[in-house]
Amino acid sequence: MSKEKDAKPKKKDDLPKKPARVRLLSFFTGTPTYNDDKDYSEYAYFSAPLNMFFLTCMILHSIYMVMFSYMHIPLMFALDAVCVVLYAAFVIILKHVKGSWIFCTLFSMLEIYIHQICTVRFFGLAPGFHYLLIPLMFISIFIRKKSRFFNILQYIIIVLASLTFIFLVVFFTDYDPVYHPEKWVNTVFIIANCTTSLLVTSVFISRLVTSLDEKRSELDTSVTEKVNEIEKMQNQIIISFANIIEARDGSTGKHVKRTSLYVEALVRELKRNGDYEDILDDAYMHDTMLSAPLHDIGKITIPDAILTKAGRLTQTEFQKIKMHTINGKEIIEESMSDIENEGFLKVAKSVALYHHECWDGSGYPYGIAGDEIPLCARIMTIADYFDALVAKRSYKAALPTSVVFDNITEQRGKKFDPVVTDAFLRIRDQIDEIAKANAD
């Protein structure tokens, strides 16, 4: 055995550990893993900026502790020591406890409010503590909880903080505080508080916008994946339904697959060559390829006696066969009326209704000619004709592909659109490979 096969997978404990500094930083700045939980994912955008808010408050109160220690004010020093512990606990709780963000936020708002009242009482407005009420008012706006209690509490916080800020600015300017810090200390306080107020609000907005962008990106990805899954399931249902219908006249599921592959190859060749640029955009190509399996859906209305008849059809029987085009269009119109993709419905109805019309007007059901026939139907016509001749049926033998290609060349400008015919003949080798790889 090779060394690769002999090697045992590494255990989690065997993997190299990240440096302590990196792990510590990741712990405090990372978002909770339970944000992926469907019950809490709606709050994922909020937890990241809130986490940064708690960290900023923890750092700010640490600065306050140093300043109040220098000023020998034990009461404020103790208050800020409690705040540092409190915000560190908030970070840890937010990280591990589901639904804790709302309670941590409310307690944080209460702490900010009480801290501002205390500091203004001791130092007045000079140090600029009242500016820290601004992020409190701003952050409270983002509380979202489907509860009357929390809604009322949110409004109380906003109104109380706003009125307090206005009251302090307007009526508290002449208040003589208990402590008069030195000028440089006062300056440091003002700069720290104003800067922190701006920083907290800016960081919160920045992280909130980033988190919302990430959430939007995740939702876009999720929606795209779901749409692709639904479309894939829809395509499979269409193909399965078409196979059931085709089986009634002795065809196998390979007919639907082959004609769909012919149409896809032909559409891509027309696009590559620049044919019908005004019509053949990506949406039209997609709808044409998706509609191909439905071209004979109207056959479900034709009696088995006519559909599986081995001999030549009478004129009356042939008239009933012709009706599968009109009936197919009506079936699609009625059964798929709820589909929002109007482009697909229009193309699907055109393919079902007109795929037996001829370029020279000799086809059915209406005998229209040239560009009056939708391009999607002209593409389907040549694909369906080719497969009808190269495939074996209970009432006919299969023809060699070389003979069928010669026949199609002769019908250029008669039964088939000349431009579509030329494109089909250019990819002759590809069509031949599809026919052989998917033979009955």
Side-chain angles (χ1 to χ4, degrees), residues 337-434:
S337 59
D338 292 335
I339 294 179
E340 296 182 1
N341 190 341
E342 294 182 6
F344 166 71
L345 285 178
K346 183 178 180 180
V347 170
K349 289 188 288 186
S350 296
V351 167
L353 181 60
Y354 299 117
H355 72 280
H356 281 290
E357 297 287 4
C358 298
W359 183 256
D360 61 5
S362 61
Y364 66 85
Y366 301 122
I368 58 177
D371 291 335
E372 292 180 82
I373 307 168
L375 177 60
C376 55
R378 305 200 302 264
I379 292 170
M380 190 71 239
T381 298
I382 197 167
D384 190 40
Y385 179 87
F386 178 84
D387 196 70
L389 294 185
V390 299
K392 181 181 179 182
R393 295 289 185 271
S394 58
Y395 51 86
K396 75 169 192 68
L399 293 176
T401 56
S402 58
V403 174
V404 179
F405 278 119
D406 291 341
N407 194 322
I408 288 174
T409 303
E410 292 175 5
Q411 293 294 327
R412 181 184 184 277
K414 299 176 185 177
K415 186 175 182 65
F416 307 121
D417 176 344
V419 176
V420 175
T421 305
D422 293 341
F424 192 81
L425 294 174
R426 283 198 301 271
I427 57 171
R428 174 173 178 160
D429 292 341
Q430 187 178 349
I431 297 295
D432 203 18
E433 288 176 7
I434 292 172

Side-chain angles (χ1 to χ4, degrees), residues 135-271:
L136 172 63
M137 290 183 283
F138 177 78
I139 292 171
S140 64
I141 296 173
F142 291 91
I143 294 180
R144 291 292 181 267
K145 192 81 171 176
K146 293 181 180 179
S147 167
R148 189 176 181 182
F149 169 76
F150 283 110
N151 289 335
I152 293 174
L153 189 61
Q154 179 189 35
Y155 292 129
I156 290 174
I157 292 171
I158 295 173
V159 172
L160 194 60
S162 301
L163 291 178
T164 303
F165 181 81
I166 294 171
F167 175 78
L168 291 175
V169 172
V170 176
F171 299 104
F172 222 71
T173 52
D174 296 332
Y175 170 72
D176 187 24
V178 177
Y179 296 99
H180 293 276
E182 298 176 36
K183 185 176 181 180
W184 72 268
V185 174
N186 191 61
T187 303
V188 170
F189 268 130
I190 292 176
I191 294 174
N193 289 317
C194 293
T195 303
T196 305
S197 179
L198 176 63
L199 180 64
V200 168
T201 306
S202 301
V203 168
F204 191 86
I205 293 174
S206 175
R207 287 301 300 265
L208 186 66
V209 171
T210 302
S211 298
L212 284 172
D213 287 341
E214 291 174 355
K215 185 68 175 176
R216 188 181 295 111
S217 178
E218 290 174 6
L219 288 174
D220 289 343
T221 302
S222 178
V223 169
T224 301
E225 290 175 353
K226 292 295 182 184
V227 168
N228 291 337
E229 288 177 10
I230 292 171
E231 185 172 307
K232 186 177 180 180
M233 182 171 62
Q234 175 183 301
N235 294 350
Q236 191 57 49
I237 291 172
I238 290 172
I239 292 172
S240 299
F241 187 39
N243 287 339
I244 293 171
I245 295 169
E246 292 294 340
R248 294 182 63 235
D249 66 349
S251 303
T252 67
K254 294 291 185 68
H255 169 70
V256 172
K257 183 176 182 180
R258 285 193 301 266
T259 51
S260 298
L261 291 173
Y262 298 152
V263 167
E264 181 179 354
L266 182 52
V267 163
R268 296 191 186 284
E269 174 59 23
L270 288 167
K271 181 72 172 179

